C-alpha cells in the first residue's frame, strides 16, 4: 500500500473525535498532539549546509541542461534519463557555451580542484534559484552527488517508474554546500544464503545511489552456495551453485523441517561486468568477497581435495557455523591464486575481500599435515595457523595489485601486512587495527546488522535474532571516541550495513530489512556529527518513505512500532502493572486496547502510563497523524498469580550476560509474548538442572505451578525433561508434592505445569531438569541446549 502524503485529506481533528469512545482507563482522549511540520527540504543524508532562499525553479520542456566538460556527459545523461521517466520531460545534454542564456537552465560545472571550495573529491555545491540550477564540483562523483540532492528536492513522484502528469516538477530555491564525512559508505549483501538475480542487484545499487553510498560489498560465496564462475575450477558453479533443500523457518527451530526446492544460481562473468559497470556509473565500487578458509562447505563439495580430512561435504541446507575448512597446503594456495586472479580481473576496485570469519579449527586439529606445518613454521596455536593462512592469501592479493579486506578475525594470531579490517564483532577489531596502523571499516553487529529484528512488534517477520531499531543504527558513531581528533582517525574509513540473507528468501524481504536502516547508515557516514539529529532524521522519513513507495520498494514501517513495557506494583494476585507505551517518533499517535481486540480508530489514544491488573492483554498500534494509516502491533500480557514479587532464589546459575535480571523475568507477572526477539527476554540456564526456591511473605494455599519455556517459534526452546515441585514450612526440609507427567512435558507447548492437592505453605521449590540432547546440524553430533525460562506462575 502506498503512503500518500496528503496532509489535508483526513483532518487530524476528525481522527481525534473518533477516539472519544470512553473506556475506563482511556487516558486523556483529547490529548494535545504535537503538530508536525514537514521539513522544507528533506534530503537524506542531510547536507553539511543548506540555506533556504525564496522562489522555486520550474522544470519544463524548454529547460536547458548543460555541461561545461565532456567528462560530465555520462553523469548528466544518466540523470536526464532518470528524470525523463516520471516527468516525461526530455532534457537534452548540451555543451555550455560562454554566452549561453542562463534562463531556466540546469548547468553542471566541473571546476579545477585548486579552485574548488573543498579539497574533498566527493564534495559539491548545488544552487537553485528561480532562474537557474547550478551544480559545481571538482569531480564527476561530486556532480553525481549534487544531482542526487537535486533528485531529492523534487517531489517524491519523480521516483515513479511510469509517467506522472499531475505533478509540477519544481524545486525550492536553496544553496547547498556539501561533502561526505567518510570516504567509505557501504552496504553489504549476502547472495550465497539466498541468491538474488541481476535485476535485484541493480535495484540494490540504485538504493545505494539514492543515498550517496559508494561501496557495495558483494558476499559471493559461503557454505550454502558459490555464485561466481571460475574458469579454472568449473565445478565451483557446476556443483556448488545449488543446494537440494533449505531449512524452513529458523535453523535452530525445535523441529527442523526442510523444503526440497533446488535453490541457488550464479552470475555469468558478463553479468558481473555489467553490474560492476552499472555501479561505476553511480560512483559505487563493488567489492567482491570470497569467504575463506572457513565457510567453505560449498568449495569442499566441489573440490574435497582442498580440505584437511576426507569428508563428504554438501552445499549446506542449514545455517550456522560449520566445521568445513580449507587446508593450508600448497595446492590450496594454488587454487586460491587461480580463484583470486579471475576475481581480480572482473573487479577493477582496489579491494578483494577474503572473508576470514568464524573459522572452526576442528579439522585442522585432526590433520597430521597441519601438525607438521605448525612445527615447520613455528606456529604456536591454531590462531597462528589461521594467521599463516591469511598471510599467504595476503601475498596472493598483493601480487594482484589489490588490497586485502577481511573480517576482524584476521587479527587473531597476528594481522597480515596491509590488511584492512571489517569490524563486525563490536568495534574492538576496528580499534585494534587502527592502533596497528591499519585501515578499518566499522560494521558492528549491534548497530548495522540488518538481519536483526527492527522492533518488538508481533508483526515483524522472522529474523535471525536480536533487535536493532532504526534509532539505534542512527545513534551509531563510527569514530571510536578515543580516536576523535587524532592521527588514528584517518584509519577509520567509514561504516557499512550488512544484509546476511539466511532468513531473507525474497527481494521484498530484503528491501524490508534494509529500508530505512540503510538510510541511517548513509546519514551517519555522510553528515557531520554535529548536524546529525534523530528528530530531524525522523521528520525527513515520510518523504523518504514516499520515495521508496514510488520506487515500489517494500520499506519497513517498524520505526513507528510501539515499545510496550510495564512496571509491577505490589505483589501476589493483587499486583498492578503500570503500562508504558512508547514510540521513537512524533509522527504517530498510539492507540491501545485491554480487552483483547485489535486497536482501531475508535480505540483510546495513549498519553501517559496507565494501570492494569493481572490477566490483562494489552494490544497497541500506532497510527499515522497525517495519513491515518495503522502500523505494526505490539503486545503485553500480565498474569494474576500468587508468586508475583515473592522472594525467588535461584540455586542454579543463570546466564546474566544475556539477561541481567533472571529473577525478575521469572516473577514479575509479565510474560514474554509469542515471539522471540532476543535471548535476553528469557532467563537462560546452561546446566542440566534449574532449582528455584520461592518464599511467600505469608503462607499461601497453592495447587498449581507452571513455567513458561517456549513460545514455539525458534531457537531450540525445549521443555524441561522433568518438573518436580516441593514444599517446606521452614525452607530447609522439603516434602515432595509430586512431579509432572513426562508425557505432558514431552508434548507441551509454551508452558509446562503440575497440579496437586491444595497445600498451604510458605516455601515452594521448583526443580526443572534439562537433559534434552539434540543433533547439531553443524557438527552432526549430539549437543545439550540451554533452558530458556519465563514466568513461574503459582496458582
Ligand atoms: C556471522 S558476520 C557471519 C555470517 C552470518 C552472520 C549472521 C560474519 C563475518 N559472519 O556468516 O551470516 O553472522 O548475522
Amino acid at each position: 500500500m502506498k503512503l500518500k502524503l496528503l496532509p489535508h485529506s483526513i483532518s487530524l481533528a476528525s481522527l481525534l473525535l473518533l477516539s472519544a469512545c470512553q473506556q475506563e482507563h482511556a487516558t486523556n482522549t483529547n490529548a494535545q498532539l504535537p503538530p508536525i511540520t514537514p521539513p522544507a527540504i528533506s534530503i537524506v543524508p542531510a547536507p553539511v549546509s543548506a540555506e533556504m532562499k525564496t522562489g522555486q525553479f520550474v522544470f519544463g520542456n524548454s529547460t536547458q541542461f548543460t555541461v561545461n566538460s565532456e567528462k560530465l556527459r555520462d553523469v548528466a545523461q544518466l540523470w536526464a534519463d532518470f528524470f525523463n521517466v516520471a516527468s516525461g520531460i526530455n532534457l537534452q545534454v548540451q555543451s555550455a557555451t560562454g554566452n549561453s542564456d542562463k534562463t531556466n537552465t540546469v548547468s553542471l560545472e566541473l571546476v579545477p580542484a585548486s579552485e574548488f571550495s573543498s579539497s574533498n573529491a566527493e564534495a559539491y555545491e548545488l544552487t537553485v534559484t528561480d532562474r537557474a540550477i547550478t551544480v559545481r564540483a571538482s569531480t564527476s562523483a561530486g556532480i553525481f552527488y549534487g544531482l542526487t540532492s537535486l533528485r531529492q528536492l523534487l517531489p517524491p513522484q519523480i521516483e515513479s517508474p511510469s509517467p506522472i502528469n499531475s505533478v509540477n516538477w519544481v524545486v525550492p530555491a536553496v544553496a547547498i554546500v556539501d561533502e561526505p564525512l567518510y570516504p567509505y559508505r557501504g552496504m553489504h549483501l549476502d547472495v550465497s544464503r539466498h541468491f538474488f538475480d541481476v535485476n535485484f542487484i541493480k535495484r540494490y545499487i540504485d538504493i545505494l545511489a539514492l543515498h550517496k553510498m559508494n561501496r557495495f560489498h558483494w558476499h559471493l560465496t559461503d557454505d550454502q552456495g558459490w555464485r561466481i564462475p571460475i574458469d579454472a575450477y568449473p565445478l565451483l558453479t557446476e556443483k556448488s551453485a545449488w543446494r537440494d533443500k533449505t531449512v524452513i523457518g529458523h535453523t535452530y527451530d525445535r523441529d527442523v523441517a526442510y523444503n526440497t526446492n533446488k535453490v541457488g544460481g550464479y552470475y555469468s562473468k558478463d553479468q558481473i561486468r555489467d553490474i560492476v559497470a552499472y555501479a561505476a556509473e553511480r560512483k559505487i565500487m563493488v567489492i567482491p568477497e570470497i569467504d575463506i578458509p572457513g565457510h567453505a562447505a560449498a568449495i569442499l563439495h566441489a573440490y574435497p581435495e582442498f580440505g584437511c580430512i576426507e569428508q563428504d561435504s554438501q552445499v549446506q541446507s542449514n545455517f550456522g557455523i560449520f566445521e568445513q575448512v580449507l587446508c593450508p597446503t600448497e595446492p590450496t594456495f594454488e587454487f586460491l591464486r587461480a580463484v583470486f586472479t579471475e576475481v581480480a580481473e572482473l573487479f577493477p576496485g582496489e579491494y578483494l575481500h577474503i572473508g576470514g570469519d568464524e573459522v572452526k579449527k576442528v579439522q585442522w586439529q585432526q590433520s597430521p599435515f597441519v601438525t607438521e606445518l605448525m612445527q615447520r613454521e613455528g606456529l604456536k596455536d591454531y590462531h597462528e595457523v589461521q594467521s599463516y593462512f591469511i598471510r599467504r592469501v595476503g601475498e596472493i592479493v598483493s601480487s594482484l595489485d589489490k588490497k586485502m579486506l577481511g573480517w576482524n578475525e584476521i587479527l587473531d594470531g597476528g594481522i597480515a601486512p596491509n590488511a584492512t579490517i571489517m569490524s563486525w564483532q563490536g568495534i574492538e577489531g576496528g580499534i585494534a587495527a587502527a592502533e596497528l596502523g591499519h585501515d578499518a571499516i566499522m560494521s558492528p553487529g549491534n548497530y548495522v546488522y540488518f538481519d536483526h529484528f527492527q522492533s518488538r512488534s508481533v508483526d515483524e517477520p522472522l529474523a535471525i535474532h536480536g533487535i536493532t531499531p532504526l534509532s539505534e543504527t542512527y545513534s551509531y558513531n563510527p569514530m571510536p571516541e578515543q580516536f576523535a581528533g587524532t592521527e588514528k582517525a584517518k584509519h577509520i574509513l567509514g561504516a557499512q550495513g550488512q544484509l546476511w540473507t539466511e532468513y531473507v528468501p525474497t527481494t521484498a524481504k530484503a528491501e524490508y530489512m534494509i529500508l530505512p536502516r540503510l538510510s541511517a547508515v548513509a546519514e551517519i557516514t555522510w553528515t557531520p556529527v554535529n548536524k546529525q539529529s534523530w528528530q530531524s532524521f525522523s521528520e525527513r522519513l515520510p518523504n523518504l518513505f514516499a520515495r521508496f513507495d514510488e520506487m515500489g520498494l517494500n520499506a519497513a514501517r517498524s520505526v513507528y512500532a510501539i515499545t510496550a513495557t510495564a512496571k509491577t506494583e505490589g505483589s501476589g494476585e493483587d499486583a498492578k502493572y503500570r503500562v508504558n507505551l512508547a514510540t521513537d517518533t512524533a509522527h504517530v499517535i498510539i492507540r491501545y486496547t485491554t480487552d483483547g481486540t485489535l486497536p482501531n480508530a475508535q480505540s483510546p489514544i495513549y498519553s501517559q502510563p496507565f494501570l492494569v491488573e493481572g490477566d490483562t492483554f494489552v494490544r497497541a498500534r500506532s497510527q499515522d497523524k497525517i495519513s491515518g494509516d495503522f502500523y505494526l502491533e505490539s503486545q503485553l500480557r500480565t498474569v494474576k498469580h500468587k508468586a508475583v514479587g515473592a522472594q525467588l532464589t535461584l540455586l542454579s546459575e543463570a546466564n546474566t550476560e544475556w539477561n541481567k535480571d533472571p529473577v525478575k523475568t521469572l516473577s514479575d507477572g509479565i510474560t514474554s509474548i509469542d515471539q522471540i526477539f532476543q535471548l535476553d527476554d528469557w532467563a537462560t540456564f546452561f546446566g542440566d538442572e534449574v532449582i528455584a526456591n520461592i518464599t511467600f511473605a505469608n503462607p499461601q494455599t497453592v495447587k498449581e505451578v507452571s513455567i513458561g519455556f517456549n513460545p514455539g517459534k525458534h531457537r531450540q526452546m525445549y521443555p524441561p525433561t522433568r518438573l518436580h515441585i516441593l514444599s517446606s514450612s521452614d525452607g530447609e526440609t522439603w516434602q515432595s508434592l509430586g512431579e509432572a507427567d513426562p508425557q505432558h512435558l514431552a508434548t507441551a507447548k509454551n508452558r509446562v505445569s503440575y497440579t496437586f492437592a491444595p497445600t498451604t505453605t510458605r516455601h515452594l521449590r521448583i526443580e526443572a531438569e534439562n537433559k534434552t540432547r539434540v543433533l547439531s546440524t553443524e557438527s552432526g553430533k549430539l549437543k545439550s541446549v540451554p533452558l530458556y525460562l519465563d514466568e513461574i506462575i503459582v496458582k
Side-chain angles (χ1 to χ4, degrees), residues 312-328:
D312 177 22
S313 178
Q314 297 300 315
V315 181
Q316 296 290 355
S317 47
N318 289 88
F319 305 113
I321 311 172
F322 300 88
E323 289 177 1
Q324 281 88 353
V325 65
L326 299 181
C327 206

Side-chain angles (χ1 to χ4, degrees), residues 190 193 219 222 291 295 320 357-358 407 409 424 449 451-452 464-465 500-502:
D190 165 11
R193 275 54 178 273
H219 183 81
D222 216 300
D291 198 353
H295 288 282
D357 57 313
E358 299 179 322
W407 297 108
E409 290 96 322
W424 73 279
Y449 264 43
D451 52 349
H452 296 178
I464 191 165
H465 54 222
W500 298 102
T501 59
E502 287 95 328

